[in-house]
């Protein structure tokens, strides 16, 4: 089992992936997803200066089993995000590096309710939370016109403590180029690589719920069950 993170409390950093992704100040990230591409690397994450921090590479395993690899700006694999096949709640497991060994499991995430039509809510469980009685983090989508999610908020456990927030930022140019743009604010001392991984998982679940792999996503799909 992978090394467990420090949790909220006493000013400790929320270092789910690594302390090097925790900053003592808020971190603003820009996430761009090319919704019309079928190639790898359709997710790009930059800082406010345009420096690439992460990319997401898709790996096709089988029709019912998907995998994504989160790379750092230099192309080194940080995390493997793997959908667990044939699960009703769309469970995703996240492992360190390119591993899929249970000993390298860091956390898992799944839909909290199969009957959540207007928003998708994810419960997140760290690897040492084997009972899963209470989630360690939760992701709640906000809704805009026609109930299409345009934002999400990530909380610590069942509390009201916010660790990160995401808001869609659409422009005429981005729509023309077939891109979804999202701005993410990660609160101080929170692991921003962890937050990016959660947003990628949310996007995958939403696209599965909308029945499309080339449109919808975080800002355009419902998070149904299955």
């Amino acid at each position: 089992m992978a090394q467990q993170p420090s949790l909220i409390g006493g000013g400790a950093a929320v270092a789910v992936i690594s302390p090097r992704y925790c900053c003592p100040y808020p971190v603003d990230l820009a996430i761009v997803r090319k919704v019309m591409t079928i190639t790898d690397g359709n997710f790009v994450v930059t800082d406010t200066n345009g420096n690439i921090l992460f990319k997401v590479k898709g790996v096709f395993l089988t029709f019912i089993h998907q995998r994504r690899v989160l790379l750092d700006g230099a192309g080194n694999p940080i995390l493997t995000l793997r959908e667990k096949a044939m699960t009703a709640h769309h469970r995703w497991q996240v492992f360190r590096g390119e591993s899929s060994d249970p000993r390298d499991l860091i956390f898992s995430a799944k839909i909290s309710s199969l009957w959540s039509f207007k928003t998708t809510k994810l419960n997140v469980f760290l690897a040492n939370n084997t009972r899963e009685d209470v989630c360690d983090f939760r992701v709640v989508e906000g809704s805009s016109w026609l109930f299409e999610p345009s934002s999400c908020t990530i909380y610590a456990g069942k509390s009201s403590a916010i660790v990160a927030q995401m808001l869609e930022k659409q422009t005429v140019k981005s729509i023309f180029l077939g891109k979804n743009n999202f701005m993410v604010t990660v609160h101080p001392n929170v692991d921003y690589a962890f937050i990016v991984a959660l947003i990628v998982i949310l996007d995958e679940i939403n696209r599965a719920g909308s029945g499309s792999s080339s449109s919808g996503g975080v800002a355009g799909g419902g998070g149904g069950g299955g």
Side-chain angles (χ1 to χ4, degrees):
M1 185 179 295
Q3 182 180 359
Q4 295 307 308
S6 301
L7 298 180
I8 293 175
V14 186
V16 176
I17 309 304
S18 171
R20 71 175 180 270
Y21 300 120
C22 298
C23 298
Y25 48 83
V27 175
D28 291 324
L29 304 174
I31 300 180
V32 176
R33 181 168 68 79
K34 301 176 182 178
V35 299
M36 296 180 182
T37 184
I38 59 174
T39 60
D40 289 347
N42 58 336
F43 264 100
V44 177
V45 183
T46 68
D47 61 17
T48 53
N49 295 318
N51 300 310
I52 295 177
L53 301 178
F54 304 106
K55 292 183 178 181
V56 178
K57 179 176 70 173
V59 179
F60 184 79
L61 298 179
T62 67
F63 180 72
I64 58 173
H65 205 165
Q66 300 184 64
R67 187 176 71 173
R68 300 288 181 266
V69 178
L70 182 67
L71 311 172
D72 65 16
N76 301 308
I78 301 172
L79 302 172
T80 293
L81 292 68
R82 187 168 183 172
E83 183 181 19
K84 196 170 183 179
M86 306 302 289
T87 57
H89 288 263
H90 292 279
R91 178 182 288 270
W92 282 74
Q93 295 176 310
V94 178
F95 302 87
R96 196 168 300 281
E98 292 184 285
S99 176
S100 59
D101 190 318
R103 293 174 297 182
D104 293 320
L105 178 68
I106 302 175
F107 69 90
S108 61
K110 66 177 183 178
I111 293 176
S112 61
S113 172
L114 295 178
W115 305 106
S116 178
F117 294 109
K118 296 181 181 179
T119 61
T120 296
K121 298 182 181 180
L122 297 182
N123 284 339
V124 182
F125 305 94
L126 300 178
N128 63 349
N129 184 359
T130 56
R131 292 177 59 90
E132 298 189 354
D133 292 330
V134 179
C135 63
D136 297 293
F137 299 90
R138 57 192 171 95
V139 182
V140 179
E141 283 188 341
S143 297
S144 61
W145 187 59
L146 292 179
F147 303 122
E148 293 189 356
S150 62
S151 65
C152 77
T153 303
I154 301 173
Y155 298 90
K158 293 292 187 180
S159 74
S160 60
I162 296 174
V163 297
Q165 292 177 294
M166 182 198 75
L167 182 66
E168 182 184 14
K169 184 180 180 182
Q170 286 284 32
T171 64
V172 173
K173 181 179 179 181
S174 67
I175 294 172
F176 178 76
L177 294 175
K179 296 180 179 180
N180 283 142
N181 296 330
F182 308 102
M183 296 303 299
V184 181
T185 298
V186 183
H187 286 216
N189 298 315
V190 174
D191 189 325
Y192 57 86
F194 168 61
I195 300 301
V196 170
L198 290 180
I199 291 173
V200 172
I201 291 172
L202 181 64
D203 179 75
E204 291 293 337
I205 290 174
N206 276 341
R207 289 199 291 162
S210 66
S212 172
S213 60
S214 61
S215 62
V218 174

